[in-house]
Amino acid sequence: MTNTTQPQTTLAGLKLKSELVDANHVLAHQGVLDAFGHVSVRQPEHADHFLISRSMAPELVNVDDIIVMDLACNVTDGSQARPYLESFIHAEIYRARPDVQAVVHSHARSVIPFGAVNVPLRPVCHMAGFLSKGAPVFDIRHRFGCTDMLVRNASQGKALAATLGRASVALMRGHGFVSTGDSIAQAVFRAIYTEANAAIQASACMLSKQVAYLDVEEGLAADETNSQQIDRAWSLWKRHAAERLR
Ligand code: MN
């Protein structure tokens, strides 16, 4: 009997696992993930399953650490590995957004201020044009009161996905952010440039109260152009991460 949710049984499945491992290493090397945070990809042949590492630091992830989960966050590949506490972030975004194929969750420190103050994260740099679709802030306190700030169950995941709406990125007050994409590389690209834009925007705001942001049309046009260029960045980031890990 074959378990059809085991992606490692096919060449395409192995390739996807390997790409997810690369994403873990790239995000760690780029400073978007440290010991915490995670990245996942929807299983192409089973849209209600996704691949993600077991609970561990992203830089240390290897192909053997990748597990398969369903949208209820059950591990479905027979692995006994412990999943991330916040797997519900991924599951509920995949449930709410059929267009999303990959999700990154990060605690990058440059982004945290924008979840804490009344200044929206907006594109100041064309590489972050996707922020024109908004970067809404999820405040877990609004519906769930005093928590440990983690998205630990399906209803908290659903509330985060509802805040995300149709945007590419949502911030999480006192915690971090999520980025989404139609591929692993696009979700990684958006996570990296969300972090970069936050740092640039904070610098611009220190220089002046009058900051010239990209307008919505500029941002959307830039996002469309950048989406055709992702492989260029992805190849470079993979090389740099591999050099560091060698
Ligand atoms: Mn977290």
Side-chain angles (χ1 to χ4, degrees):
M1 192 178 78
T2 53
N3 181 343
T4 53
T5 65
Q6 285 189 345
Q8 67 272 28
T9 54
T10 66
L11 192 61
L14 269 175
K15 201 163 161 259
L16 193 65
K17 271 192 171 185
S18 167
E19 203 181 341
L20 186 57
V21 170
D22 287 340
N24 275 272
H25 297 168
V26 164
L27 289 162
H29 181 246
Q30 294 292 320
V32 174
L33 303 182
D34 53 10
F36 301 95
H38 15 89
V39 50
S40 71
V41 62
R42 195 194 291 270
Q43 205 175 345
E45 68 276 27
H46 298 281
D48 55 353
H49 287 74
F50 61 97
L51 275 61
I52 190 167
S53 167
R54 67 186 175 90
S55 182
M56 64 186 295
E59 188 168 335
L60 305 181
V61 169
N62 216 318
V63 278
D64 297 336
D65 300 308
I66 304 298
I67 57 175
V68 185
M69 302 186 84
D70 64 20
L71 298 189
C73 288
N74 301 304
V75 179
T76 63
D77 61 1
S79 164
Q80 299 301 306
R82 190 164 58 93
Y84 289 117
L85 294 172
E86 297 192 288
S87 304
F88 292 95
I89 291 174
H90 303 262
E92 294 305 330
I93 290 174
Y94 290 129
R95 196 193 302 279
R97 288 280 301 273
D99 60 308
V100 168
Q101 301 304 320
V103 175
V104 175
H105 167 56
S106 160
H107 300 167
R109 60 192 64 178
S110 62
V111 180
I112 307 279
F114 293 91
V117 301
N118 195 22
V119 176
L121 185 69
R122 291 175 61 188
V124 280
C125 148
H126 71 113
M127 300 308 286
F130 55 88
L131 292 174
S132 286
K133 287 179 270 185
V137 178
F138 174 67
D139 188 342
I140 196 166
R141 185 166 50 194
H142 285 164
R143 268 199 50 202
F144 301 97
C146 179
T147 64
D148 64 1
M149 308 300 284
L150 301 191
V151 174
R152 284 179 169 274
N153 57 50
S155 58
Q156 292 170 343
K158 281 182 207 304
L160 171 62
T163 298
L164 174 68
R166 303 302 304 168
S168 303
V169 168
L171 311 192
M172 301 160 78
R173 180 190 59 87
H175 185 165
F177 73 98
V178 291
S179 82
T180 61
D182 62 11
S183 66
I184 291 176
Q186 190 181 57
V188 167
F189 181 98
R190 287 174 171 172
I192 288 171
Y193 282 108
T194 295
E195 191 281 328
N197 191 91
I200 297 165
Q201 186 177 344
S203 300
C205 289
M206 279 193 283
L207 291 173
S208 170
K209 284 186 174 139
Q210 292 189 316
V211 176
Y213 296 99
L214 272 68
D215 65 32
V216 173
E217 290 73 20
E218 287 176 328
L220 295 179
D223 184 39
E224 200 171 325
T225 298
N226 295 339
S227 293
Q228 310 305 315
Q229 300 284 329
I230 287 173
D231 280 349
R232 180 161 145 182
W234 181 241
S235 308
L236 179 68
W237 291 334
K238 274 197 296 189
R239 167 80 71 87
H240 285 169
E243 282 169 358
R244 161 146 142 179
L245 290 171
R246 196 155 54 203

